[in-house]
Amino acid sequence: MVWSRKLSRRVGEVREGVREARKHQRDWKANKACFKAEYKAAQEAGEIHPKAGLGSGFGLLPWLLLGMGAFSNLFKGEAANPWIGALGLLTFNSLYVYVAFRAFHQETRDAVSTRVALVLMGLVTCGLALGYGGNWLLFFPLLGLATGAVVRLPHLRWVGAVVTVVAGAASVFRDGWGGLDTAYATWISTMVTAAILSLSEAVRQLREAREELARRAVEEERLRFSRDLHDLLGHTLSVIVVKSEAARRLAPRDLDAALVQVCDIESVGRQALTEIREAVTGYREGSLSTDLDRAVSALRAAGIEPVVHRSGHPLTAQTETLLGWVVREAVTNAVRHSGAERCEISVRGSAERVLLRVWDDGRGTAAGTAPTVRERGGECGGECGGDCRGENAGTVSIPVVGGTGLKGLAERLAAAGGSLEAGPGPRGGFVVRAELPVESVAPGPSGEPAGAVRGARIDEVAG
């Protein structure tokens, strides 16, 4: 029984020790993770250099051990004039450290002071090698290492050749033909150091370029998303506001008509929620027919007579999406600012280009204008039935309104190879004209005529 109690007590002590060790291990892992996070944050803040070792002058300092033979000669009293040798050794080491720490930044590496220090180091090396020989010749490979760290192509070849020739001549003068090994070591140290540091610098530049591209991609995505939200919410909220005002006006005298407007508000709100979800996920595909239907509904609710004409070839999903955004923005501006009585929307396509034109007979732009652009009249080739030729024949200057929505649309269409022009029309009102290339031809939906737009009166736009 006594041995069993001792055994159980021993087992308990072992288990307690294991639990304590595991606890210390968990604490160590947590502290290590915390240290890594803090170290990374300090690197990103610039408090710590992101590249240790070969990324800083400390990576070149261990090579100073090649001078231990010369130091040993001084310490043992084997060198003549030890005070001159000690002064030369101190001067060389000081210049080497100075050059090493200035070799990893282009501004300091190309500075005149760094080049002067390298030349002085070469003179000191030649003096020590010719004066003492032996172990002191090993300063030539150190000189080559410093030269490779500072000099880059195209000057590296001839500078390295000069350093190698001087090292070979001094070594042969002191130690005979066996000194050619020193010349070879000098050449290798020069070229290998330059190659390694150039590669390290190229990798660092590529990393910085990648980070810059990532930042630009994030900025462009934010801009795209902000434009999407503006295009979606700006038009939808305007429709909701207009229909709410119409319902408020109709409610006292025609409750059924007011309920119709309320039902439209509910439908528009549900559709807006769906489109926002699709925009967030990045899979939104617009339908020009749907956008035209909603534009007609919004214009009628605002008391503006809509006239829509659509003809030409079927369009790709991307082209319909872009044109739908233009319709949304133009109709939203017409409802909000124009005070118009009539709004004409014309979509006309050919085998290569598609032209969208939105015109209202309101008071035109009240906002400031930007520098004018030129609208090229008659480019539809007469497909509009004389509409474009009659109003835009020749060249007409149209100032572009400086609104956020139109500017964003202009950027979108320009990226797709198209153009957007907006401003007061020659016969009054306000004109928005968008032109896009037709990327491909897709079959129409179930034989529906290209010119059919549900909920709108189909008519030719009056010239």
Side-chain angles (χ1 to χ4, degrees), residues 212-230:
E212 180 64 24
L213 290 176
R215 283 194 296 269
R216 291 186 179 182
V218 170
E219 293 175 356
E220 292 177 358
E221 182 63 18
R222 287 175 179 172
L223 180 60
R224 182 198 67 81
F225 191 72
S226 65
R227 287 196 302 249
D228 284 351
L229 289 182
H230 178 275

Side-chain angles (χ1 to χ4, degrees), residues 234-235 237-243 245 294-304 327-340 343 358 360 363:
H235 174 76
L237 294 178
S238 298
V239 172
I240 291 175
V241 170
V242 171
K243 287 185 172 292
E245 293 176 351
R294 295 177 61 183
V296 168
S297 178
L299 290 170
R300 285 178 174 169
I304 302 175
V327 170
R328 288 165 178 252
E329 182 65 26
V331 171
T332 299
N333 291 336
V335 170
R336 286 180 177 177
H337 311 299
S338 68
C343 182
V358 182
D360 63 74
R363 54 180 172 266

Side-chain angles (χ1 to χ4, degrees), residues 105-326:
H105 300 281
Q106 184 175 0
E107 294 79 7
T108 56
R109 183 174 64 241
D110 296 337
V112 177
S113 58
T114 305
R115 303 303 173 91
V116 171
L118 184 63
V119 172
L120 292 177
M121 187 165 60
L123 296 176
V124 172
T125 303
C126 291
L128 294 176
L130 293 175
Y132 294 97
N135 293 328
W136 299 78
L137 296 176
L138 295 178
F139 286 123
F140 276 114
L142 284 176
L143 175 62
L145 194 149
T147 302
V150 171
V151 183
R152 295 288 186 270
L153 293 174
H155 305 294
L156 177 63
R157 294 188 180 91
W158 68 267
V159 173
V162 169
V163 172
T164 302
V165 169
V166 171
S171 300
V172 169
F173 177 78
R174 290 293 306 184
D175 289 353
W177 293 108
L180 293 178
D181 294 339
T182 302
Y184 178 74
T186 302
W187 171 258
I188 291 298
S189 64
T190 302
M191 295 304 166
V192 171
T193 302
I196 292 177
L197 295 186
S198 298
L199 179 61
S200 176
E201 184 177 356
V203 170
R204 182 166 57 250
Q205 292 176 353
L206 289 175
R207 184 181 293 111
E208 293 175 354
R210 183 181 62 184
E211 294 174 354
E212 180 64 24
L213 290 176
R215 283 194 296 269
R216 291 186 179 182
V218 170
E219 293 175 356
E220 292 177 358
E221 182 63 18
R222 287 175 179 172
L223 180 60
R224 182 198 67 81
F225 191 72
S226 65
R227 287 196 302 249
D228 284 351
L229 289 182
H230 178 275
D231 295 338
L232 291 172
L233 295 181
H235 174 76
T236 302
L237 294 178
S238 298
V239 172
I240 291 175
V241 170
V242 171
K243 287 185 172 292
S244 299
E245 293 176 351
R248 176 177 55 81
R249 292 194 304 267
L250 293 172
R253 62 178 184 274
D254 191 348
L255 185 59
D256 293 337
L259 289 177
V260 171
Q261 298 294 331
V262 172
C263 291
D264 289 344
I265 293 173
E266 181 182 1
S267 176
V268 171
R270 292 183 183 276
Q271 181 67 21
L273 289 175
T274 302
E275 290 178 345
I276 289 175
R277 294 191 187 100
E278 292 174 349
V280 170
T281 55
Y283 296 106
R284 178 176 182 265
E285 291 185 359
S287 171
L288 183 57
S289 298
T290 302
D291 290 324
L292 289 173
D293 290 344
R294 295 177 61 183
V296 168
S297 178
L299 290 170
R300 285 178 174 169
I304 302 175
E305 179 188 0
V307 180
V308 179
H309 183 87
R310 183 178 180 184
S311 63
H313 296 268
L315 305 175
T316 62
Q318 180 182 4
T319 303
E320 287 205 357
T321 299
L322 292 172
L323 294 180
W325 280 330
V326 177

